[in-house]
Amino acid sequence: MGKKRVVVTGASSGIGAATVRLFREHDWDVVGVARRADMLEALALETGAAVFAADLTVQADVDALREYLGGSGPVNALVNNAGGAKGLDSVEAGSIDDWAWMYEINVLALKRVTSALLPLLRASISAETDAAAAGAAASADIVNITSIAGHTAYAGGGGYNAAKFAAHALTEVLRLELSGEPIRVIEIAPGMVQTDEFGLVRFGGDAEKAQAAYTNVPHPLVAEDIAATIVAAVELPAHVNVDLLVVKPVAQAAPHLVARGPLTPRA
C-alpha cells in the first residue's frame, strides 16, 4: 500500500518544521505547507519532504493545495499547526487588526484546510481498505495544534485566548461530527515553547521582548518536544484517540504562573 502521507501546515519554522523532520525520520511521506517558499525549499532539501507554498487565509491558495494533494498521492493525516499571536494588549486597547489576523490564521485557516482536505482523508481510507487484507481497518488523523491559551484565559491574552478557545471548540465539534467514521481528531495544546519566531511575531519583531519571556525559565519546551507528542499520538494504534494532550514545561503551572530560576524541593 506504500507509505502513509501527512500534511503539516505552518511548516516553514518552529513546531511545524520540527514535525516535518520527525515524520520523515519515521519514514512518512510528508508535505510541508507554509507561505514562505524559500524556507520550505530549504526544509525540502534537508528532509526530502515535498512542500507547497500557500497562504492559508486565502481560499484560492487552499483550493490549489487541495488540487495538488489530490493529484499527487494519499492524505492519511493532517496536522493543522499554522497559527500565531500578536500583542499583549488589554481587550480595551487591543488592535482590531491584530485580533482579525489572529482569528484568520488560528480559526478560519484551520476551518478552510480541514474542509478542503477531509474528502482526501476519506478517499485515502477507502483506498487503503480496498488494498488491505480482508478485515483490516484503515483510518485517518486530523491533529489540531491549539494552545493552553485556548483553555485558560490570562490578562493580555484576549485576542489570542479568543482565537484559541475558538480553535478548541472547533476541534471538539469536529470530533462529534465525525463520529462513526474512522477519523481520529486529536488536539495538542502546548504551553511555553521557545521557538525562533512565535515571540517575534507577537511583539512586532522586538527580539528583546521576545527573549524576555524565557529569561531564567528552566527548560522551556522546544519545538522538537511538541513534534514528538504529535508523531506519538498519530502512531498510536488506530483505535486509540488522544482527544486532548496539554503539554507544558514543568516550570509552567499555568499560562500566567511560570517559575524562574532553579526548580528546587521545598524544605
Side-chain angles (χ1 to χ4, degrees):
M1 292 184 290
K3 293 180 184 178
K4 290 194 173 186
R5 188 166 71 151
V6 58
V7 178
V8 180
T9 70
S12 59
S13 64
I15 292 170
T19 301
V20 169
R21 292 185 183 101
L22 190 56
F23 269 117
R24 289 295 297 139
E25 289 176 16
H26 284 228
D27 204 30
W28 284 66
D29 285 335
V30 182
V31 180
V33 181
R35 289 182 299 108
R36 293 172 293 185
D38 56 338
M39 297 182 72
L40 286 177
E41 290 300 332
L43 184 65
L45 287 172
E46 174 195 343
T47 64
V51 295
F52 190 92
D55 182 343
L56 302 181
T57 68
V58 176
Q59 186 62 48
D61 281 17
V62 176
D63 292 343
L65 172 64
R66 180 190 61 225
E67 293 303 313
Y68 164 76
L69 293 170
S72 58
V75 178
N76 305 103
L78 166 63
V79 179
N80 283 308
N81 168 70
K86 284 192 177 182
L88 273 175
D89 295 324
S90 67
V91 171
E92 180 183 11
S95 161
I96 284 293
D97 289 341
D98 286 351
W99 279 54
W101 180 86
M102 285 186 279
Y103 199 80
E104 278 282 353
I105 192 60
N106 291 292
V107 185
L108 298 185
L110 171 59
K111 183 267 188 285
R112 290 179 195 275
V113 175
T114 301
S115 293
L117 300 196
L118 255 172
L120 302 183
L121 290 162
R122 291 186 175 111
S124 296
I125 294 170
S126 297
E128 190 174 335
T129 300
D130 291 343
S139 65
D141 297 285
I142 298 172
V143 184
N144 291 341
I145 311 305
T146 60
S147 170
I148 59 171
H151 297 267
T152 304
Y154 57 92
Y160 191 53
N161 284 143
K164 287 302 189 182
F165 266 81
H168 166 64
L170 182 158
T171 304
E172 293 275 284
V173 173
L174 182 64
R175 190 178 299 114
L176 297 175
E177 292 174 347
L178 297 181
S179 176
E181 298 189 62
I183 301 175
R184 299 185 295 188
V185 178
I186 298 165
E187 179 181 355
I188 308 292
M192 176 180 279
V193 183
Q194 186 169 12
T195 62
D196 292 336
E197 296 196 7
F198 181 87
L200 288 175
V201 172
R202 181 162 221 170
F203 295 111
D206 189 324
E208 187 174 340
K209 280 187 177 180
Q211 182 57 38
Y214 309 105
T215 299
N216 293 328
V217 176
H219 301 295
L221 300 178
V222 294
E224 289 74 15
D225 296 323
I226 305 306
T229 66
I230 294 167
V231 174
V234 170
E235 292 188 338
L236 286 169
H239 68 284
V240 180
N241 192 82
V242 177
D243 278 15
L244 170 63
L245 182 59
V246 178
V247 190
K248 305 194 303 288
V250 175
Q252 184 179 37
H256 59 281
L257 183 58
V258 179
R260 297 183 187 269
L263 301 178
T264 58
R266 292 186 177 89

